[in-house]
Amino acid sequence: MASGGAKENRAYKPGKTQILLHCLETLLREGKIAKSQILSFAPISEPTFTRYIQEIRAYLYNFHPGYELEYCKWDDVYILNKDMDSSKRK
């Protein structure tokens, strides 16, 4: 008898929300995220990844003003930093 649940062998492509949540979770857990790491996981282009990073920056600015997302060109990663002077955003 077939069940109404999802099939175990079926893989679902992650959508925008899941990709953004995965990026944020990785940043919170590891403190950094590489573009190559996400592009290998998600079926998105580099410009789409850049837009997603901007969404995360805006989210941090609006809801977690003590944090900043900075790009480290040397290592080609985005790093989540705690802003010690978050009073400048009040």
Side-chain angles (χ1 to χ4, degrees):
M1 180 176 223
S3 67
K7 295 180 181 178
E8 289 183 36
N9 294 335
R10 188 174 195 177
Y12 294 98
K13 287 183 6 180
K16 178 181 180 177
T17 303
Q18 289 181 354
I19 295 167
L20 282 168
L21 288 171
H22 176 73
C23 289
L24 186 58
E25 178 184 6
T26 301
L27 284 165
L28 292 172
R29 186 179 59 244
E30 299 176 14
K32 63 183 178 178
I33 195 167
K35 178 173 35 176
S36 61
Q37 178 183 7
I38 299 304
L39 293 179
S40 68
F41 155 76
I44 59 172
S45 65
E46 289 188 32
T48 298
F49 173 80
T50 302
R51 286 192 300 275
Y52 288 5
I53 288 295
Q54 292 304 321
E55 288 286 338
I56 293 170
R57 278 195 175 116
Y59 174 81
L60 292 171
Y61 183 85
N62 288 324
F63 297 103
H64 298 282
Y67 289 91
E68 292 181 338
L69 189 59
E70 296 181 15
Y71 178 65
C72 177
K73 187 175 182 176
W74 182 261
D75 294 326
D76 195 28
V77 297
Y78 292 85
I79 300 170
L80 184 62
N81 289 319
K82 174 81 171 147
D83 183 9
M84 301 310 278
D85 185 25
S86 60
S87 62
K88 65 184 178 183
R89 296 188 185 163
K90 290 186 177 180

